[in-house]
Each structure stands twice: as structure tokens, then as C-alpha cells.
Amino acid sequence: MTSARIVLWLNLTLRPSCSLCRAQFIKGQLQTPANPAAMENGTMPCGEKRPLEAQETTVTEGAAKIVFPSANEVFYNPVQEFNRDLTCAVITEFARIQLEAKGIQIKVPGEKDVQKVVVDLSEQEEDKAELKEGANVAPGDQPRTAAVGEICEEGLRVLEGLAASGLRSIRFAREVPGLRSVIANDASSRAVDLIRHNVQLNKVAHLVQPSQADARMLMYQHQRVSERFEVIDLDPYGSPAPFLDAAVQASPAAGLLCVTCTDMAVLAGNSGETCYSKYGAMALKSRACHEMALRIVLHSLDLRANCYQRFVVPLLSISADFYVRVFVRVFTGQAKVKASASKQALVFQCVGCGAFHLQHLGKASGPSGGRVKFSAACGPPVAPECEHCGQRHQLGGPLWAEPIHDLDFVGRVLEAVSANPGRFHTSERIRGVLSVVTEELPDVPLYYTLDQLSSTIHCSTPSLLQLRSALLHAGFRVSLSHACKNAVKTDAPASALWDIMRCWEKGCPVKRERLSETSPAFRILSVEPRLQANFTIRDDANPSSRQRGLKRFQANPEANWGPRPRARPGGKAGGEAMGDRRRLLQNKRKEPAEDLVQRAARLKTFPCKRFKEGTCQRGNQCCYSHRPPTPEATAEATPTNCLETLNQNPPGPGATTGPGVD
């Protein structure tokens, strides 16, 4: 029998056994408890039926209490509590605005019963909010109220597309008044079972409805005007790009869309091509990368909404910890969509000094109150080489170039949180961040940083108050940014900033002989400043949030701080395995770096090859040894087997073994 026939016979004989073994293996895999971490973002396939873990961990956050498998450490991230607290505060004020128009007042626990001033953010007046009195109530009539935990028939319908344990949805039901229903959706059946358990535990089954479906399909099924959600919350692992198209269609006119992005490496410029594939914009590595990330996400949202004759209006955009969070309202209007091109801009950034210029994609012109004409913008705003340092420019964007906050709405949220500080565990941080947001210049995109300006010209760093005072003395506006603690957001051109830094450098001169003639520092410092800076400290240079000592910028709250690793079905859940992995990957370089003396002594132990060849011209200044090799060193360098060979096979007569050998 030939070898080919033998292989064919074995294959036909053993195939049933292999199939049986494979089926038993797959069956055993399905019966094995899966990674509970996968429920965080619905990454596990639908249709799975698995019991909950025997050991559970109970977590209390806000007014909610949830349980989840204790073997999973990526399931609950306490750092995201600020995100959830801020979302509850924003939705509460949004519900107050929506229900006041219907004559309904909301009751927030711990809030004094006072008459609120309402901001009208209707579609016709979204550009400029107007103050008006509360809903007119006839004398003697009792105004309708909406309390926490009660169903409001005219209230908000909320969708949490990626609910995981249902913590966020349960907190909405127990802390936000004026809700009609909350749908806690997840693609994993095991996650939905856990949501049902937590809903029963918190006694909010009348408000929270667990749902098992793909978040995109669920939102596509609610495109009818009567079935849309007034509030949609998306908090996925990584990028929300796959869900944005469905979200802008499932949101009604003037609806609220809350989106979180944790793929900061992509948005911060580490992978520009990946950022373009997900958000339709090229990200740049910049000191202002966090604000650039916010503007890229807003651009992506507006771009997807424009496909359906809709547009977005940002209410609040936050860069915190390891993620960005945006709150936008979605409106419908064909005429307003035409202005979207003039709200986007490209960024020209110098690779040498970091100076940037914005180029809008469109231009809107026309008399005020008359017909507006839209056309393409003219550019570019810069030459091929930077006028300050002579380096080339990088092109990034498009990104959102309009204000990223609605200061009236932010003021309402800040006032509510300040008046009721016991409502949230992170109220102190919310107050600090929102206070810095209200101080930001709304019409100035991006920013510089103190260390960026000083490191470019290799000089000492001025204090924040000194630089701010110099800009104010020169007649420019300046503010901080909530995205970076040493940010300098100003309407001053880059030429004025470098003039101020040139004046600062004169007080502590930089040694020009150490600078390369082609370096940005040499070219910037070789120009005399045309603006004489005044660094005298001004009273208005110190922002109010800094004077009051608010908690503006969060320090790392815990060890191993950052986003949890992605949950993978069938993988290790965490706990000890995750701790072992962290110990394996961290502290790679434990040996201290050697100093110059130790390095010089170590190099002197190696012979100089050029000295052996007679071509080394350094003499005693050479870092390698010029000493001839000693006999001991030669003997040590000779392999042992070679010596044994010489001893066992002595040279024959007439052979020369070396000088002095007979």
C-alpha cells in the first residue's frame, strides 16, 4: 500500500473520533465560567446562558448599590465615579429645562425649594439662550412636580446603550427626577441577568427596563420621532465611533447625547491614520492634544449628524483622567447645516516651535440679519516654513473650531452642584473643573503650555502669574484650560508669545554657543523682540478658581491608575493573574544608570582597535585603552582547547612558535 493511500485510510478512520473529541472540547468550553469582565461593554456573544459567580462583590456608589463577580477587577472602575456623577448632574439640569417648558417642576433631594431661573434652549433659540420666568401657573393651581424614583409621564426617555452591570442606569433612576423610563441595554445575556438582579436589589424595576440587543440595532429601531430617546448615554470601551451614526438618528430634536471616548492614544496623535479611520480627522502630537481630542470628537458627531440634515450644539466637553466626555444636543435644520463647514478647521502646526494656525474649511458672509452666503475659505494661513524657527508645518484636522461649552448651561450645573454639595461624592472636583471651564476663553481653540514655551528656547520657566501678567499688560486675553494645569490659552499671536519669551530670556541668558544654528532656539533668540514685556504681577492674572483653592486638576487617585484592560471572553478575569502581569511588565529598568566616572572606567578596560592598527589620533584622550596586552591577559584570552591542542601536538622541527623559542 502506497503512503498516499495509508494517509487517506487513516484520515477516514480517525475523522469521527476527532469530531467527537472536538465537540466534547467545545462543550466543555461553553460550560466553563466565562470572563465576567466581558460584560462591561457587551463584548460577549448573545445567547449565552451562564449562572452568576458564587462569590460577589457589593459596591455602593451614590444612591445605587450593585453586585458583580468578585473575580473581575475590570468590571467596576472607581475612577469613573466622577464621570457618572457629572452625567447625573447634567441630565438633572437638562430635565429641569425640558420639563419647565411643560409646567413641571422637578424635586432634587437635598435641594432647597426655590424658584429657578430657566434657560430656554429650544431649537429656534439655540444660538443665544434667553432668560425667562418659570412656567406660568394660574393663581390657586398647584404646579405639577416630578420627584426622584417616580414615573413622569411627560418626562425623559433615557437609553444606556452599553450598560454592563446597570450601575449608571440605576443611578439615573434613583438620583435624577423627571424620567419616564430608562432602558439598560447590553449585548451579553449574562450582563442582562446581572442588570435584572441589580434592578430588583435597588427596587427600580418600575423605571429601569433591562434589554439585550446590539446597541446599534436598538437605536436604529427607534428612528421614529415618537420612539426616540431624549437622552442617549454611550460609554464603550475604547472608541464610540461604531455607535455615533445610530445615536444621532435615535435622538429627537433638541435631544441630549452623552459620549465617552477612552481611546486617548488614538485621539492624542499616536496613530493619526487610525484616528482618521474612526473619526474622520487626523490627530497631531501636540501639548494641546487633550483639547484637540475633544474637538475631533465634536467634529465627528457633527459630520455624522449632517448626513441627516441635523447638527450638534455642545453643552459641555470635558477632558479628565484617561478619557474625554462630551454632552451635545442634536437639532434638525437644513439651513443651519449649511453653516457646519464654517465651524470646522484644519490645523497647521510647526514641528519645531509648536506654533499653530487654524484654517477654516468654509466661510459665511452676509449682512447681519440678512441672507448668509456660504463659500470656501481662502488659505493657507502660513508659509511652507515657520516664520519663527524655519521648520516645516504638519497638517491636522479637521476639528471643531467653535466653542466647546455652553457657558450658560455650565453655570446652571455649577450652581446646582454648589448649592447641594452632599448630593455627589465628587462634588468638590465637579465644582473645580466646571469653575475652570467657565473661565476658559470660549472663542480661542487650543493652547500653549509653560514648559513648551521655555523648553523650545532652553531657558528657565517663568511662573504662571508672570506669563499671564505679561500677556495682560500687552493687551491680550488669557485663561487656563481644564484639560491641562499649565496651559496658556490666549488670543495673542505666536509672534507676541515669542517676543515675551525673548524678553524673559534676557534676564537669564541662554549660552548661544551651545545651540545649533539650525535649531528653533537659535533662530528664535537671534531676533530682537519688538514687544517689551512687563512681568509685574497683576491682580487679575490670578484666576478666581486658583484664588479660592478649588480642586481643579485631579491627581492620580490610586495605584495602577488608568483604564482597565479590555475584557476578553474566555480569558483570565483579573485578580491575581492581572497582578502578576503588572508585576511582569512594570519596572523593566531596575538597575540604576551608571555615572560618567563608572562608564569611563569601564571603557578603559577595552583595547582600542585603532591603536592596534596605528590610526588612533586621540592619544591619552581616547576613551579606550592604549596599553599593550599583558601576557596574563593574553593567556586568559586564549581558549583552553587551543592550549591543550598545543600541548598535545608540539610543533615539529623547524616550526616557529614565537620570539625567544628555540
Side-chain angles (χ1 to χ4, degrees):
M1 184 181 294
T2 62
S3 59
R5 292 185 177 181
I6 293 175
V7 172
L8 180 60
W9 178 78
L10 290 175
N11 188 18
L12 295 175
T13 305
L14 298 178
R15 181 178 296 175
S17 301
C18 295
S19 302
L20 179 61
C21 295
R22 187 182 298 110
Q24 292 177 352
F25 174 76
I26 295 175
K27 183 178 179 180
Q29 288 289 95
L30 293 177
Q31 293 177 354
T32 304
N35 183 7
M39 296 184 297
E40 177 66 23
N41 299 291
T43 57
M44 299 181 70
C46 301
E48 52 191 343
K49 303 264 184 191
R50 296 173 186 152
L52 297 177
E53 295 287 344
Q55 297 181 355
E56 295 178 342
T57 300
T58 303
V59 173
T60 301
E61 182 180 292
K65 181 172 65 173
I66 65 165
V67 295
F68 60 89
S70 58
N72 179 14
E73 70 167 5
V74 306
F75 187 68
Y76 171 76
N77 194 349
V79 181
Q80 289 275 25
E81 183 178 5
F82 170 76
N83 186 337
R84 291 182 282 266
D85 287 351
L86 181 62
T87 303
C88 290
V90 169
I91 296 179
T92 299
E93 294 308 310
F94 178 74
R96 195 192 306 274
I97 294 171
Q98 294 292 94
L99 296 183
E100 280 285 357
K102 302 177 182 179
I104 303 175
Q105 296 181 358
I106 65 173
K107 290 186 176 181
V108 181
E111 189 176 274
K112 295 182 180 179
D113 189 10
V114 296
Q115 185 71 21
K116 291 287 182 180
V117 179
V118 180
V119 178
D120 184 11
L121 293 177
S122 61
E123 181 178 355
Q124 293 77 15
E125 299 293 336
E126 74 278 357
D127 295 332
K128 182 177 179 180
E130 297 180 356
L131 297 179
K132 70 175 185 178
E133 298 295 332
N136 296 326
V137 180
D141 293 345
Q142 186 68 21
R144 293 182 295 170
T145 60
V148 172
E150 298 179 357
I151 298 178
C152 181
E153 296 298 335
E154 301 181 30
L156 307 180
R157 288 166 295 187
V158 182
L159 168 66
E160 185 185 3
L162 309 164
S165 64
L167 171 61
R168 195 180 296 255
S169 298
I170 293 172
R171 289 197 58 182
F172 292 162
R174 294 184 62 90
E175 300 179 28
V176 179
L179 303 182
R180 184 193 307 185
S181 63
V182 179
I183 296 181
N185 177 76
D186 202 281
S188 170
S189 62
R190 192 152 182 257
V192 176
D193 293 339
L194 188 61
I195 292 173
R196 292 193 183 96
H197 179 66
N198 288 324
V199 166
Q200 296 295 334
L201 180 65
N202 290 270
K203 300 179 180 180
V204 289
H206 60 292
L207 270 175
V208 181
Q209 304 172 10
S211 170
Q212 181 185 351
D214 184 276
R216 293 165 294 185
M217 296 305 300
L218 180 62
M219 289 186 286
Y220 281 132
Q221 293 170 1
H222 287 75
Q223 294 184 21
R224 292 185 179 180
V225 177
S226 59
E227 298 179 357
R228 295 177 179 176
F229 302 99
E230 283 77 14
V231 179
I232 297 178
D233 190 295
L234 297 176
D235 188 5
Y237 185 95
S239 173
F243 308 97
L244 298 184
D245 183 81
V248 296
Q249 296 187 63
S251 179
L256 179 63
L257 187 57
C258 317
V259 180
T260 301
C261 306
T262 58
D263 55 337
M264 289 303 298
V266 173
L267 289 169
N270 288 347
S271 302
E273 68 284 354
T274 305
C275 184
Y276 179 81
S277 65
K278 292 183 177 181
Y279 301 98
M282 183 68 84
L284 299 177
K285 286 188 177 181
S286 168
R287 299 299 177 91
C289 60
H290 289 176
E291 183 177 331
M292 188 177 293
L294 287 170
R295 295 183 178 275
I296 287 176
V297 175
L298 292 175
H299 159 74
S300 182
L301 281 168
D302 192 59
L303 185 63
R304 284 169 168 82
N306 291 163
C307 298
Y308 309 101
Q309 300 300 317
R310 317 193 78 188
F311 61 97
V312 301
V313 176
L315 291 183
L316 178 62
S317 305
I318 296 295
S319 173
D321 299 327
F322 50 84
Y323 61 89
V324 293
R325 177 77 163 169
V326 296
F327 302 89
V328 301
R329 302 187 73 182
V330 184
F331 294 95
T332 303
Q334 184 178 4
K336 295 296 180 68
V337 171
K338 295 181 180 180
S340 293
S342 59
K343 299 177 183 178
Q344 321 299 326
L346 298 173
V347 180
F348 291 85
Q349 178 178 282
C350 175
V351 299
C353 63
F356 58 84
H357 301 79
L358 267 68
Q359 171 65 62
H360 285 261
L361 294 181
K363 181 175 61 175
S365 59
S368 59
R371 183 177 180 181
V372 180
K373 181 181 179 180
F374 300 100
S375 60
C378 300
V382 294
E385 295 182 353
C386 178
E387 60 178 328
H388 309 293
C389 66
Q391 302 291 328
R392 66 185 187 278
H393 288 94
Q394 284 184 324
L395 183 61
L399 49 81
W400 182 266
E402 294 295 302
I404 60 176
H405 313 290
D406 187 326
L407 296 183
D408 293 330
F409 182 82
V410 174
R412 288 175 56 89
V413 178
L414 177 59
E415 179 185 0
V417 174
S418 301
N420 190 8
R423 184 184 178 193
F424 303 114
H425 182 256
T426 61
S427 294
E428 184 180 355
R429 186 184 179 190
I430 294 177
R431 288 182 55 203
V433 172
L434 296 186
S435 297
V436 178
V437 167
T438 58
E439 297 170 353
E440 290 183 10
L441 295 177
D443 56 341
V444 178
L446 307 183
Y447 53 81
Y448 298 92
T449 60
L450 282 174
D451 58 320
Q452 171 192 0
L453 297 173
S454 57
S455 63
T456 300
I457 59 176
H458 306 290
C459 72
S460 59
T461 305
S463 68
L464 180 65
L465 296 183
Q466 288 175 325
L467 184 60
R468 288 170 60 94
S469 299
L471 288 168
L472 293 173
H473 281 301
F476 301 107
R477 296 180 298 156
V478 62
S479 73
L480 294 175
S481 174
H482 77 279
C484 182
K485 62 181 179 181
N486 59 346
V488 180
K489 184 184 283 287
T490 178
D491 59 348
S495 58
L497 274 173
W498 289 127
D499 280 345
I500 292 176
M501 294 305 298
R502 291 186 187 103
C503 295
W504 173 260
E505 185 268 341
K506 291 183 179 298
C508 184
V510 176
K511 294 183 179 181
R512 302 294 198 277
E513 59 272 12
R514 295 187 176 182
L515 301 178
S516 172
E517 294 183 359
T518 59
S519 65
F522 184 87
R523 296 194 176 187
I524 291 175
L525 295 177
S526 61
V527 179
E528 286 297 322
R530 291 174 294 179
L531 184 152
Q532 297 302 320
N534 183 5
F535 295 97
T536 305
I537 304 298
R538 293 178 43 151
D539 294 337
D540 55 348
N542 195 10
S544 175
S545 59
R546 190 171 183 266
Q547 293 179 5
R548 290 180 291 167
L550 298 179
K551 190 175 183 180
R552 303 172 299 164
F553 305 101
Q554 173 74 32
N556 293 355
E558 60 180 11
N560 302 318
W561 169 85
R564 302 302 191 207
R566 177 183 290 274
R568 300 185 183 278
K572 296 182 179 179
E576 297 180 358
M578 191 59 60
D580 295 340
R581 181 172 177 80
R582 285 172 178 161
R583 285 189 293 271
L584 177 65
L585 297 180
Q586 69 184 358
N587 298 328
K588 286 291 186 72
R589 299 177 180 177
K590 296 183 179 180
E591 296 295 334
E594 58 181 356
D595 55 13
L596 296 179
V597 178
Q598 293 176 347
R599 183 174 182 272
R602 181 174 58 83
L603 293 179
K604 278 295 183 181
T605 60
F606 296 96
C608 180
K609 295 182 179 179
R610 294 186 179 180
F611 176 74
K612 291 182 178 181
E613 299 172 354
T615 59
C616 184
Q617 301 177 358
R618 293 181 177 272
N620 296 332
Q621 295 182 357
C622 182
C623 60
Y624 297 103
S625 174
H626 284 190
R627 297 178 182 178
T630 60
E632 293 80 2
T634 305
E636 292 178 358
T638 305
T640 306
N641 55 356
C642 296
L643 293 177
E644 294 177 354
T645 304
L646 291 175
N647 294 333
Q648 294 176 1
N649 302 311
T656 303
T657 59
V661 178
D662 297 334

